[in-house]
Amino acid sequence: MDDERDNHGSNCELCGGAYTLPEDEDLGNLPRVIACGHIFCTACLCSLEIDNVIKCPECKVESTLPEDGVNGLHEDCKIIGLIYTAKIHEMKRCIVPANVEKAEKDVEKAEKDVEKAVDEALAQAVENMAQLDHIHQTLVTGLATQAKREQARLVTEIDKAVDQAIHTLYKRREALLRELPNMQARFSSSQEEVSRVQERMNVLKMAIQTAKEFRHAPSLEQYDTLEKVLDTLQAPVDAQSFDMNCITLGCGLSCVWTDSLMEGLKMKAGSPEPLSEEPPLRALQQGGSNRKPAWCRGEGRSRSHTPPSRHKPPQQQDQESLRANRPSQCSSRSPGHQPGSTLTPLSPASDPGIYHLVLVTHVVNPGHFYIRYVAEKREGLMLTKKINHLCSGDKGRFTPSDTLETGSAVFVKWKDGFWCRATVVELWQSGSVAAVNACPITRLARIQVFLLDYGFTEAIVLQSEEGTTESLMEGVSECLRRVDMVVQSEMRCWAPLAIKCSLKDLIPADLIKGWSKEAQVEFRNVVGSAAMEMQVFGQDKNSLQVDLRKSPMDRASELPISVREYLVFIEVARFYSPVVFGRSPLPYYAPVYPDINTEFNAVVSYISSPADFYIQLVDSVDFQMLTAKLQACYNATTVDRDTDLHLYCPVMGQACVARFDDNVWYRAQVIGHPGGRKVEVRYVDIGNTKILSVHDLRKPKDEFFALPAKAIQCCLADVVPLDGETWSDTCTDRFIRLAHQKLVTVVAFEMEPNSRLLPVRLFEGSLDGPLANISDQLVTEELASFKNGHAEAPDVWDPPIEDLLAAEGKSDRDQEPLEFQPQLQLPVCLNELKVRVTHVSSPGSFCVQLTQNDSQLKRVSELLNQEYASMEPQEVEWKADMYCAALINGVWERGQICTTVTSSSIAEVLRCDFGNKVKLHVSNLQPLQPSLVGSLMLECTLYDIRPAGDQSTWTATACDFISYYLDGASAVMTVKEMTDERPVPVTLFCSNRMGSYVNMADSLVSEGLALKQWKPRNAVVPKPEESVAEPQVSGEQKDGPDMEKRGTPPSPPACPVLIPPPSSPTSIPAPSSAFPKPAPRTHLSAAKVRYVDYGLVENIPVVHVYPLLLCEDVPQLCVPCQLYGVNPVGGQWQWDAVALLKALLLNRCVDVQVMELPTDPRGSLTVQISMDGMNLSRILCHHQHATMDKHAERPIMIPPAPLLDDWEISTEGLESPEVPVLGPFIYPVLPQEGEHFSVRIKHLRTPNELFLWPVEGGAEVDEETLEEALDRINKDAGSLPQLSNFLPGSACLAKYSDGKYYRATLMDFVSVDPVRLLIQHVDFGSDDTLPPSKLRQMPAELLRFSTRALKVRVAGFKAPSVSLETDMLPYQPKWSKKAVQEMIGLLHGNISASVVATEPALTVLLFDKKGELVHLPLVSSGLADLD
């Protein structure tokens, strides 16, 4: 049996041959072990090798061979030992029998001596190894601590230096800090000692392995080297031979401040100095038995997190310290932070005016929530990366013998597959209902953990379908990882990122019930997921006392939303001792009061009593524009979509936009808090007050602050109540009937001191002037009395001539009936006619009514009503151009049928007296009497202007503009030329809010919506018989060319007054009921200004503009610029391109190169901008916002001066790189755009992205082609050195599957263990993943040849928008594999190309041998779409 077993163990199980040892020239047939554990001989394994892979003949498991092939596999030492033993026995049998006994004794004695020597050497080696391990660990730990201490010291010195020049040298500080992580490179002596110890340890490890192999299986050949091995094992370790003082020296760098601003902050090299703490050498000399591991020697951290107990939720546990004093700009900790250092918690005396940006990670209630600092985002990413590295692969897996306890630290897999830190809170064991304090990992059923960096608990259920220990351990490893002592010591450098906070002095509304569910929901809604401003007031036990404030999203509200005040406002919480902020909200501008003792027209918008009512001036269209913009901005769709406009916590006096009963939005101001989540507001443009829900309020945008409040608070000037104290309801009702929402004429008087009421007199008014004093009517009806008990003398009015004529006509009408005139008759004088605009189509067609024909219009209405009011509908066949009487809005009017009425019974009717068209049912039409046929309307056109942009028709913008401001307005018109043709050319003047009359044609021209009519220089303008004169303007009031002719400059205005810039638009006219003389200047309520030191353009109120020139000797600090050599796509810059420029350039330092100077000193400078080496023009081209100008010269960018040019760093002793860095490959010269050239397709990635090579590009260099040069180099490939520089983008030679080397470019690292690199063959376009052993340094001579594969994009087609294919490309899911196969088939044969564009990527068109586009069959089959 023994012989059979021996033969079985010494023979190969596959071929049956015996294993043999190498002797002399015979290589032998050694037993070797493959990956699955089976053993076969070397000959069998060589026969089984296929493509460097061996498939086991027994278990069919594939094993990848090492680089040395089969000879690189491990040998089975047990079988080899048996062969050696059998060989020794065979030698013993050959000894002469007479000397057998003596030989056996000698051999036995020699074996015992050898065994004893080996055992003693191994014992000494173990002691030496322990001592070397101690020295190595001490040096490594000392080196790390040395670097960290020096780094901390340098950080302190750098911070002190930066404090002296923080505003000018902040960037230099960042550059210095980036150099600190490489601090270990500064300690060359320490690294040399570490290398020496590691080398000694490696030698000792090899000797120990050799001795163990000899002890297990003696070998005759190893007897020769045994003495050397024993010497190595027994060699004592001389601690004095290692320079342990090297870790006590500093790096020699220090940061100092110099007087020069440019050299004020630099690293200064000096002699190394001993560190302040004693070196770890003393602990080494005291003996290695009493030493502690590195994680035990660090000082205790005051910020370590105590694991929560399982008796209460982790949100209620205490954190031993808080991090409220961390700066908001940069993190106070880093992975290199000294473990022994502590961060002082915030004291209650900290400055409460400092705000930190934070994110709320978890909310329990307003008194218990967790936050994370936004400034620690980078630190959190580094921590996550660190934890993921610690949990990668099989690291940190639990073993079946592990036991988990409450309070222990673990790693938990959370969302997106990331690992995070956690503390065990509760454990549940299989088969147990109650939680336990400790549980074996194999019986764990459920676990609840507290996430230290997020502040909340997470329950994890562990279930195994198979129920085996292996499946359970696999399930545990999927979601939990163990934290050992070494990892725990590393994690001490990272304090918990989640901080427990509480809103200061805030308690529940009901102390008995505590925090309600509504309070929690509202708190979560208001904090959301956006960054908040946190104000820290102090520390209370284990939490920070803070207030969270939501930052304003625009400049409309300078007061951020306080979360505490919001919760109190919605009555889910109340203050215990509230903190009052000293900031006040931004109100609307006060209304502009009119001049005293001056008549003006107004509408009474709201009446509370005769002593308290509000009026609106009607000589301005600003309010109409404002109302329209408010509705467009705050309609239901926009408000629901834009949550930033919601007003959560309104404060007293805050400006807002409120919804009225008619669902119309108006500007308002908060004046009270009645409770119940209600707000009392006053509408600043109307004057009334209303109590609304907070949901009906919105934040106003910046543009709505420009105009002042419209409503002016007034009181009747000359009357008092009858009882002298209170106004009666009867008097107030009568006053409302007389004045509310009616046009009145107002005369203002001087305001009394300390009063906000404007004393006024109201007169019932119309277009024909004032009629009666309302105060007199109240006194006459005995509802009020004059002041001082007597009536004042009535005002003596001096009516104009028109009023006298109207009065005479009225007296005449009293005597004789008014003569009916159905047709419009223009007066003899066509100057300054008062008209009312009834309909506006465009500046070239609008309709007006003469106000002098109001009596005729009234007469027409009366006659139509008498004739048709009681008439029954008639069946009439209505045809085009027939006149009719139409019932419109309950009033009979004259009309004319526009088109023949069909079966629809709907007729389109032109209103003869108004000019607009309406659609009516035929039942509302009656035939018009011939005596009533006519029209009192005149169709007009603006004189001396034409549409802008060389258009024949008016644009919709111009039509909307004039229709918005003229429809229904009163104006003054002058007929320029009276003819029988319609429309009649006229000049139209409308009154603006300042009482000045503005020419509407000039307004259109100033807005850029119209151009002045071109006239020849010698053209004779025909004049009518009557001299046509525009409204009279005094010499001081005129401006423009007439003023230049007079040569008299206007007098300078008193400051402050707005001087409109030349580009400011003319004020828009508005309806007016009076006709005052034009004012000397048109004033604006807002002006568009440009800040010359910032370049910003903004609309600001006129009261903030002063005509003062300050610092005229200082040039403007902002220079207007334009990019060089780029053209916008479509001919003009789109909004998304501008948004990209803002995101890239605003508040960022860039490198600017001036390309061209402007001819005009105020023109734009043509520049080229680079950001971190990237050209801004190419970025725009890459995003397809612009194209490069073909005629623009390619700029030569001047590299910026390096930031570290003033460092005094010695380079003495540094060696130059052994391998020179090769330059980039040469690209072939392509033909001109549009020229066809033959190409060869090298590689295809997608149907429209491939690599090609111009056929004519393979020219010889020095009478040698690229193929010949590669063949010559591959013949001597063994002499090529291994690649040692793995810089991405560098050139190299890569080994292909055919065994030859080809030119390639390094792309990236694919894996680290094993090392695999991604390369791209520059002459083929294909990618490959290779180990470093298949990469070689490329000779520089191969750079002479241009690349043979150019990456291009094929124009003319794109991926289909809808694809019926299911098999798609994994790396480009838009394309199907069928499309790739079809494209490959189309690219065979003679293919030619034509360059379409070179920027942002090389784009070509491909043609087949027939000259047709290659991609057309692909499009016709539905595998692609035309582009």
Side-chain angles (χ1 to χ4, degrees):
M1 294 295 295
D2 294 340
D3 294 340
E4 292 178 2
R5 184 167 54 250
D6 292 343
N7 293 334
H8 179 74
S10 59
N11 296 333
C12 177
E13 296 181 1
L14 186 60
C15 64
Y19 298 117
T20 59
L21 300 177
E23 293 181 0
D24 298 334
E25 297 180 357
D26 186 11
L27 298 179
N29 192 19
L30 295 176
R32 299 186 185 275
V33 183
I34 58 179
C36 60
H38 291 96
I39 303 172
F40 301 100
C41 65
T42 304
C44 292
L45 292 177
C46 291
S47 63
L48 294 174
E49 178 187 3
I50 300 176
D51 293 337
N52 209 29
V53 177
I54 293 178
K55 188 175 182 180
C56 180
E58 293 188 6
C59 62
K60 307 303 180 181
V61 175
E62 295 183 353
S63 302
T64 302
L65 296 180
E67 296 181 1
D68 296 336
V70 176
N71 294 328
L73 295 175
H74 291 288
E75 303 164 351
D76 188 86
C77 298
K78 183 177 180 180
I79 297 178
I80 293 177
L82 293 175
I83 297 175
Y84 271 116
T85 304
K87 191 172 183 178
I88 290 175
H89 289 322
E90 184 67 24
M91 292 175 62
K92 289 181 180 180
R93 294 191 188 98
C94 298
I95 300 177
V96 182
N99 300 328
V100 170
E101 183 177 358
K102 181 179 179 182
E104 289 179 352
K105 292 182 180 180
D106 293 339
V107 171
E108 183 178 358
K109 181 179 180 182
E111 290 179 354
K112 290 183 180 180
D113 293 340
V114 171
E115 291 177 359
K116 181 178 179 181
V118 171
D119 292 339
E120 292 177 354
L122 288 175
Q124 183 65 31
V126 170
E127 184 178 355
N128 293 343
M129 178 58 69
Q131 192 171 0
L132 286 174
D133 182 46
H134 181 202
I135 295 175
H136 179 265
Q137 187 175 3
T138 303
L139 285 172
V140 172
T141 306
L143 176 60
T145 305
Q146 178 186 23
K148 292 178 181 178
R149 290 174 181 173
E150 283 295 283
Q151 180 176 348
R153 179 181 64 81
L154 287 175
V155 168
T156 303
E157 292 183 4
I158 291 172
D159 288 339
K160 290 181 180 179
V162 168
D163 289 340
Q164 301 177 24
I166 188 64
H167 298 290
T168 56
L169 300 178
Y170 183 79
K171 291 185 178 180
R172 176 59 64 85
R173 176 180 180 272
E174 297 296 329
L176 294 175
L177 292 179
R178 285 196 296 268
E179 296 294 327
L180 294 184
N182 299 325
M183 188 56 63
Q184 290 189 2
R186 304 290 303 180
F187 302 98
S188 57
S189 58
S190 300
Q191 291 180 343
E192 291 177 0
E193 294 299 321
V194 171
S195 301
R196 289 181 56 198
V197 176
Q198 288 179 344
E199 184 179 357
R200 177 69 184 276
M201 292 176 65
N202 293 335
V203 173
L204 188 59
K205 286 180 181 178
M206 294 178 61
I208 292 175
Q209 183 178 1
T210 304
K212 287 182 178 180
E213 291 178 357
F214 184 86
R215 185 71 175 83
H216 185 267
S219 174
L220 296 178
E221 292 183 356
Q222 293 182 353
Y223 275 100
D224 298 335
T225 61
L226 183 61
E227 183 178 358
K228 184 178 180 181
V229 172
L230 293 179
D231 292 340
T232 303
L233 296 175
Q234 296 176 350
V237 176
D238 186 7
Q240 301 298 329
S241 62
F242 300 99
D243 185 11
M244 303 301 294
N245 293 323
C246 62
I247 59 177
T248 64
L249 298 178
C251 64
L253 295 177
S254 61
C255 188
V256 297
W257 171 260
T258 61
D259 295 334
S260 175
L261 182 61
M262 296 302 296
E263 300 180 357
L265 189 64
K266 62 181 181 179
M267 301 297 292
K268 182 179 179 181
S271 301
E273 298 179 357
L275 300 177
S276 58
E277 301 181 10
E278 66 176 359
L281 182 62
R282 180 174 301 178
L284 174 65
Q285 294 174 352
Q286 293 176 357
S289 59
N290 297 328
R291 59 188 175 89
K292 296 181 180 181
W295 59 270
C296 295
R297 297 197 302 269
E299 300 178 9
R301 291 175 54 84
S302 64
R303 301 177 59 220
S304 60
H305 184 78
T306 303
S309 65
R310 68 179 181 88
H311 300 292
K312 51 186 177 180
Q315 289 86 351
Q316 301 177 6
Q317 304 299 325
D318 298 346
Q319 293 180 346
E320 292 186 359
S321 62
L322 303 166
R323 297 170 288 128
N325 62 328
R326 290 178 291 188
S328 60
Q329 297 299 327
C330 59
S331 177
S332 60
R333 299 171 294 124
S334 65
H337 185 73
Q338 186 176 353
S341 63
T342 59
L343 300 178
T344 307
L346 179 69
S347 63
S350 299
D351 185 7
I354 299 177
Y355 297 92
H356 309 275
L357 285 178
V358 298
L359 289 173
V360 179
T361 58
H362 181 63
V363 174
V364 180
N365 54 55
H368 185 182
F369 57 92
Y370 292 84
I371 61 96
R372 287 177 62 168
Y373 287 95
V374 175
E376 293 184 347
K377 180 179 180 181
R378 180 181 178 184
E379 182 179 357
L381 295 176
M382 295 174 62
L383 175 61
T384 303
K385 184 177 180 181
K386 178 69 175 179
I387 296 176
N388 288 335
H389 175 69
L390 295 175
C391 298
S392 61
D394 295 335
K395 297 179 181 178
R397 286 178 175 263
F398 283 96
T399 61
S401 61
D402 290 336
T403 300
L404 203 58
E405 299 179 354
T406 56
S408 58
V410 293
F411 290 140
V412 178
K413 181 179 286 187
W414 197 38
K415 62 179 182 180
D416 300 331
F418 291 105
W419 294 86
C420 57
R421 298 182 295 176
T423 303
V424 179
V425 179
E426 290 183 326
L427 297 168
W428 283 270
Q429 190 171 329
S430 300
S432 177
V433 178
V436 296
N437 293 329
C439 175
I441 198 67
T442 55
R443 300 190 61 188
L444 184 62
R446 187 161 62 96
I447 182 174
Q448 188 173 9
V449 296
F450 174 72
L451 304 181
L452 300 178
D453 300 319
Y454 298 93
F456 61 90
T457 58
E458 184 80 9
I460 302 174
V461 178
L462 303 174
Q463 297 179 353
S464 175
E465 297 180 357
E466 302 176 1
T468 60
T469 303
E470 291 77 8
S471 61
L472 178 61
M473 295 304 300
E474 188 66 27
V476 171
S477 300
E478 285 295 326
C479 55
L480 294 177
R481 291 299 171 94
R482 181 166 50 90
V483 180
D484 54 16
M485 301 301 293
V486 177
V487 175
Q488 189 173 0
S489 63
E490 295 183 12
M491 288 294 103
R492 287 180 181 175
C493 302
W494 309 82
L497 300 181
I499 303 175
K500 182 180 177 182
C501 299
S502 174
L503 293 180
K504 178 176 173 57
D505 297 330
L506 202 66
I507 58 178
D510 190 346
L511 293 177
I512 298 177
K513 297 181 180 179
W515 291 105
S516 62
K517 185 68 175 179
E518 182 183 5
Q520 299 176 10
V521 173
E522 291 291 344
F523 183 56
R524 290 191 182 98
N525 291 339
V526 71
V527 298
S529 60
M532 307 281 291
E533 289 184 359
M534 185 179 73
Q535 183 180 17
V536 183
F537 297 100
Q539 180 178 343
D540 183 15
K541 296 181 179 178
N542 64 328
S543 63
L544 291 180
Q545 298 297 308
V546 301
D547 181 23
L548 298 178
R549 308 203 305 174
K550 200 168 187 177
S551 303
M553 301 304 294
D554 50 26
R555 297 178 53 198
S557 175
E558 294 183 353
L559 189 64
I561 300 173
S562 172
V563 177
R564 299 192 314 144
E565 294 181 358
Y566 170 70
L567 296 177
V568 173
F569 174 75
I570 62 177
E571 299 180 350
V572 298
R574 56 190 178 93
F575 282 124
Y576 175 73
S577 57
V579 176
V580 180
F581 297 99
R583 302 177 62 181
S584 59
L586 179 66
Y588 293 110
Y589 291 108
V592 178
Y593 290 91
D595 297 334
I596 61 175
N597 299 323
T598 303
E599 295 181 23
F600 58 92
N601 295 323
V603 173
V604 180
S605 59
Y606 175 71
I607 297 176
S608 177
S609 67
D612 184 11
F613 59 91
Y614 291 84
I615 65 173
Q616 293 178 348
L617 303 180
V618 298
D619 54 354
S620 174
V621 297
D622 294 337
F623 182 64
Q624 300 177 10
M625 298 172 57
L626 175 65
T627 304
K629 289 182 179 179
L630 282 172
Q631 310 320 310
C633 180
Y634 294 96
N635 58 50
T637 304
T638 304
V639 171
D640 294 339
R641 203 168 49 238
D642 194 352
T643 57
D644 294 334
L645 296 177
H646 287 278
L647 192 60
Y648 294 100
C649 183
V651 298
M652 292 293 295
Q654 184 174 359
C656 62
V657 176
R659 191 190 344 239
F660 199 58
D661 293 337
D662 53 358
N663 288 329
V664 178
W665 296 91
Y666 298 97
R667 298 190 300 173
Q669 186 176 19
V670 178
I671 60 175
H673 293 111
R677 304 184 68 174
K678 300 290 185 180
V679 180
E680 184 178 7
V681 300
R682 181 177 64 85
Y683 295 95
V684 298
D685 296 319
I686 302 175
N688 59 325
T689 60
K690 189 174 180 59
I691 296 178
L692 302 171
S693 172
V694 69
H695 300 293
D696 293 331
L697 301 183
R698 298 292 184 268
K699 291 190 297 183
K701 293 188 176 181
D702 290 348
E703 56 186 301
F704 301 129
F705 280 89
L707 294 178
K710 183 70 175 177
I712 303 175
Q713 191 174 10
C714 304
C715 65
L716 291 180
D718 304 325
V719 294
V720 294
L722 286 176
D723 58 2
E725 295 180 357
T726 307
W727 291 96
S728 62
D729 295 339
T730 305
C731 181
T732 302
D733 294 341
R734 178 57 178 164
F735 182 52
I736 291 175
R737 290 196 300 272
L738 289 174
H740 188 234
Q741 295 297 331
K742 293 185 179 180
L743 181 66
V744 296
T745 301
V746 184
V747 178
F749 298 93
E750 193 73 31
M751 296 178 62
E752 297 180 2
N754 301 326
S755 176
R756 301 178 59 184
L757 300 176
L758 178 67
V760 297
R761 290 179 184 174
L762 301 183
F763 300 89
E764 292 181 339
S766 66
L767 292 174
D768 297 328
L771 296 178
N773 191 333
I774 294 180
S775 299
D776 293 347
Q777 296 187 35
L778 294 178
V779 174
T780 303
E781 297 176 7
E782 297 182 355
L783 298 176
S785 62
F786 288 109
K787 291 183 179 181
N788 301 326
H790 64 278
E792 294 186 359
D795 294 326
V796 179
W797 293 90
D798 187 11
I801 299 177
E802 291 84 351
D803 296 342
L804 295 177
L805 295 176
E808 294 177 359
K810 184 175 182 181
S811 62
D812 296 339
R813 287 193 302 268
D814 294 340
Q815 298 176 1
E816 298 179 1
L818 179 65
E819 182 182 358
F820 175 63
Q821 297 177 357
Q823 196 69 29
L824 175 65
Q825 295 182 3
L826 294 177
V828 178
C829 181
L830 301 179
N831 299 333
E832 300 182 7
L833 299 176
K834 294 183 179 180
V835 297
R836 184 187 303 106
V837 182
T838 60
H839 175 64
V840 179
S841 296
S842 67
S845 176
F846 57 92
C847 302
V848 299
Q849 293 176 348
L850 275 64
T851 57
Q852 65 185 20
N853 292 334
D854 288 347
S855 57
Q856 294 292 342
L857 288 171
K858 185 177 180 181
R859 179 63 174 165
V860 170
S861 180
E862 292 175 353
L863 293 176
L864 290 173
N865 189 50
Q866 293 174 3
E867 183 73 23
Y868 300 101
S870 59
M871 184 178 294
E872 294 294 333
Q874 303 178 16
E875 293 184 2
V876 180
E877 184 179 356
W878 297 104
K879 296 184 178 181
D881 299 333
M882 290 180 59
Y883 289 95
C884 63
L887 184 62
I888 302 175
N889 296 328
V891 179
W892 287 96
E893 299 179 6
R894 296 184 293 181
Q896 187 178 12
I897 303 298
C898 298
T899 58
T900 302
V901 179
T902 59
S903 58
S904 61
S905 300
I906 301 297
E908 187 177 12
V909 180
L910 172 66
R911 301 171 67 186
C912 296
D913 297 321
F914 295 91
N916 62 318
K917 297 179 181 180
V918 294
K919 291 184 178 181
L920 300 173
H921 194 270
V922 293
S923 60
N924 295 326
L925 302 179
Q926 294 288 349
L928 187 63
Q929 298 291 337
S931 60
L932 298 178
V933 174
S935 175
L936 296 177
M937 171 268 299
L938 179 64
E939 185 180 5
C940 307
T941 180
L942 291 180
Y943 176 73
D944 202 25
I945 60 172
R946 57 186 174 90
D950 293 333
Q951 299 291 329
S952 59
T953 58
W954 291 98
T955 62
T957 304
C959 297
D960 294 341
F961 178 85
I962 192 171
S963 176
Y964 188 82
Y965 299 125
L966 283 187
D967 201 359
S970 299
V972 176
M973 182 182 71
T974 297
V975 180
K976 303 300 292 184
E977 183 178 355
M978 191 60 204
T979 61
D980 295 336
E981 297 181 358
R982 296 292 184 270
V984 178
V986 299
T987 57
L988 199 67
F989 295 86
C990 282
S991 175
N992 64 1
R993 65 187 304 269
M994 301 303 297
S996 301
Y997 272 70
V998 180
N999 192 328
M1000 282 305 303
D1002 294 341
S1003 298
L1004 287 170
V1005 173
S1006 64
E1007 290 291 337
L1009 302 176
L1011 299 174
K1012 285 291 185 180
Q1013 189 72 21
W1014 180 83
K1015 296 180 181 179
R1017 178 174 300 179
N1018 299 327
V1020 178
V1021 180
K1023 297 183 180 180
E1025 297 179 0
E1026 291 287 340
S1027 59
V1028 180
E1030 296 185 3
Q1032 297 179 358
V1033 181
S1034 61
E1036 293 79 12
Q1037 295 169 343
K1038 291 185 177 180
D1039 52 6
D1042 295 338
M1043 182 181 293
E1044 297 178 0
K1045 292 179 181 178
R1046 289 195 310 270
T1048 305
S1051 58
C1055 293
V1057 67
L1058 172 68
I1059 299 181
S1063 60
S1064 299
T1066 308
S1067 295
I1068 306 303
S1072 175
S1073 58
F1075 181 55
K1077 293 183 179 180
R1081 183 181 297 272
T1082 300
H1083 291 278
L1084 302 176
S1085 60
K1088 181 182 290 186
V1089 300
R1090 181 188 298 275
Y1091 301 100
V1092 297
D1093 294 328
Y1094 298 92
L1096 176 66
V1097 178
E1098 189 178 29
N1099 291 328
I1100 62 175
V1102 296
V1103 296
H1104 292 171
V1105 181
Y1106 297 88
L1108 298 179
L1109 183 60
L1110 303 177
C1111 305
E1112 61 271 12
D1113 56 336
V1114 178
Q1116 67 181 46
L1117 304 180
C1118 182
V1119 181
C1121 300
Q1122 62 182 6
L1123 286 178
Y1124 171 79
V1126 292
N1127 298 320
V1129 175
Q1132 60 182 359
W1133 293 105
Q1134 304 297 327
W1135 65 269
D1136 50 352
V1138 178
L1140 177 63
L1141 285 177
K1142 289 182 178 180
L1144 291 175
L1145 297 181
L1146 283 181
N1147 300 322
R1148 181 171 182 172
C1149 293
V1150 298
D1151 298 323
V1152 178
Q1153 181 179 1
V1154 178
M1155 305 302 297
E1156 295 178 4
L1157 295 177
T1159 55
D1160 184 5
R1162 296 182 179 272
S1164 298
L1165 197 66
T1166 304
V1167 298
Q1168 192 81 15
I1169 297 179
S1170 295
M1171 303 176 300
D1172 300 331
M1174 295 183 292
N1175 192 305
L1176 179 60
S1177 302
R1178 294 188 176 274
I1179 294 176
L1180 291 175
C1181 295
H1182 174 73
H1183 290 277
Q1184 299 183 356
H1185 294 312
T1187 57
M1188 298 296 295
D1189 192 353
K1190 303 177 183 179
H1191 304 289
E1193 297 182 359
R1194 192 173 295 272
I1196 302 175
M1197 295 302 299
I1198 302 176
L1203 295 176
L1204 305 178
D1205 53 347
D1206 295 331
W1207 280 39
E1208 298 180 1
I1209 299 179
S1210 177
T1211 58
E1212 184 178 357
L1214 296 180
E1215 297 180 357
S1216 59
E1218 297 179 359
V1219 181
V1221 179
L1222 299 179
F1225 288 101
I1226 302 174
Y1227 290 95
V1229 179
L1230 296 177
Q1232 297 294 329
E1233 294 186 10
E1235 182 179 349
H1236 288 251
F1237 57 96
S1238 300
V1239 296
R1240 185 180 302 166
I1241 308 302
K1242 289 286 189 176
H1243 179 66
L1244 184 140
R1245 189 173 182 270
T1246 64
N1248 64 343
E1249 185 179 339
L1250 46 85
F1251 292 83
L1252 54 81
W1253 171 47
V1255 176
E1256 290 114 5
E1260 296 182 355
V1261 178
D1262 296 336
E1263 298 181 356
E1264 186 181 27
T1265 62
L1266 175 62
E1267 290 77 7
E1268 295 173 353
L1270 287 175
D1271 292 341
R1272 174 173 49 82
I1273 292 175
N1274 279 301
K1275 290 180 181 178
D1276 193 16
S1279 62
L1280 293 174
Q1282 291 275 355
L1283 185 65
S1284 59
N1285 184 9
F1286 300 97
L1287 183 66
S1290 59
C1292 65
L1293 289 178
K1295 190 175 184 180
Y1296 196 56
S1297 57
D1298 58 356
K1300 295 183 179 181
Y1301 287 92
Y1302 298 92
R1303 297 191 302 173
T1305 300
L1306 288 178
M1307 304 296 292
D1308 198 359
F1309 281 87
V1310 177
S1311 63
V1312 179
D1313 189 13
V1315 178
R1316 310 282 290 183
L1317 296 101
L1318 177 66
I1319 61 99
Q1320 184 181 68
H1321 296 280
V1322 297
D1323 298 321
F1324 300 93
S1326 57
D1327 300 337
D1328 201 356
T1329 303
L1330 300 175
S1333 59
K1334 293 188 177 182
L1335 299 179
R1336 296 292 185 268
Q1337 296 179 16
M1338 189 182 76
E1341 59 178 320
L1342 293 181
L1343 287 176
R1344 301 174 300 167
F1345 302 94
S1346 61
T1347 58
R1348 298 296 181 89
L1350 292 177
K1351 184 178 180 181
V1352 299
R1353 181 183 179 274
V1354 183
F1357 69 107
K1358 61 182 179 180
S1361 57
V1362 178
S1363 178
L1364 300 179
E1365 301 293 330
T1366 57
D1367 195 5
M1368 311 301 287
L1369 295 178
Y1371 55 87
Q1372 195 64 262
K1374 295 182 179 179
W1375 289 101
S1376 62
K1377 293 183 178 179
K1378 184 177 180 181
V1380 175
Q1381 295 174 358
E1382 292 290 337
M1383 190 65 180
I1384 293 175
L1386 295 172
L1387 294 177
H1388 286 299
N1390 297 328
I1391 302 297
S1392 60
S1394 175
V1395 178
V1396 177
T1398 58
E1399 295 291 343
L1402 182 60
T1403 307
V1404 300
L1405 287 173
L1406 297 181
F1407 302 90
D1408 56 14
K1409 60 182 179 180
K1410 297 180 180 180
E1412 298 179 353
L1413 293 173
V1414 172
H1415 60 267
L1416 293 181
L1418 206 65
V1419 175
S1420 61
S1421 61
L1423 299 175
D1425 291 342
L1426 290 175
D1427 189 6

